[in-house]
Amino acid sequence: QVQLVESGGGLVQAGDSLRLSCAASGGTLSNLAMAWFRQGPGKEREFVAGANWIGGNTKYADSVDGRIEISRDYVKREFYLQMNALKPDYTAVYYCAASGNCGKSAVGEYEYWGQGTQVTVSS
């Protein structure tokens, strides 16, 4: 069983950068895909970016238009979401997720979820 805990959210201004972290504990990560999703106010949860934990199958949502980069620290077992030049419409709760099915972007494909971290971007 994999447990995921996000951190790094907060209130920032438009144009700022922010890095979210996802700490993974328990289970084996090498056969999992990791992803970030977000859910804005009144919106459905949507895929932001994802990749296999061991690398490969890196995928970004079209909506993030080059402002986002994912990375990982194998020793710390952490997965990161670097967001640059933030815009107010990036305001959302950001979730880290893991799946045994690689290369997927649908919410239903992910069986492990963190509790989410709030990101608020002011204009």
Side-chain angles (χ1 to χ4, degrees), residues 6 44 66 68 77-78:
E6 303 94 336
E44 293 187 353
I68 279 181
R77 288 168 59 100
E78 292 186 350

Side-chain angles (χ1 to χ4, degrees), residues 15-74:
D16 285 352
S17 296
L18 196 65
R19 189 178 82 158
L20 305 182
S21 300
C22 173
S25 60
T28 300
L29 302 182
S30 59
N31 59 342
L32 295 179
M34 306 293 293
W36 288 94
F37 287 77
R38 66 185 176 190
Q39 188 164 13
K43 297 180 180 179
E44 293 187 353
R45 194 170 299 189
E46 64 174 355
F47 175 83
V48 174
N52 294 348
W53 173 253
I54 60 172
N57 273 329
T58 301
K59 196 174 185 180
Y60 294 95
D62 292 339
S63 58
V64 301
D65 58 20
R67 298 170 190 266
I68 279 181
E69 184 175 4
I70 53 175
S71 61
R72 60 190 70 68
D73 185 316
Y74 295 109

Side-chain angles (χ1 to χ4, degrees), residues 70-89:
I70 53 175
S71 61
R72 60 190 70 68
D73 185 316
Y74 295 109
V75 174
K76 293 183 178 179
R77 288 168 59 100
E78 292 186 350
F79 190 63
Y80 305 108
L81 181 68
Q82 176 69 41
M83 300 188 288
N84 302 315
L86 284 162
K87 302 185 294 182
D89 63 1

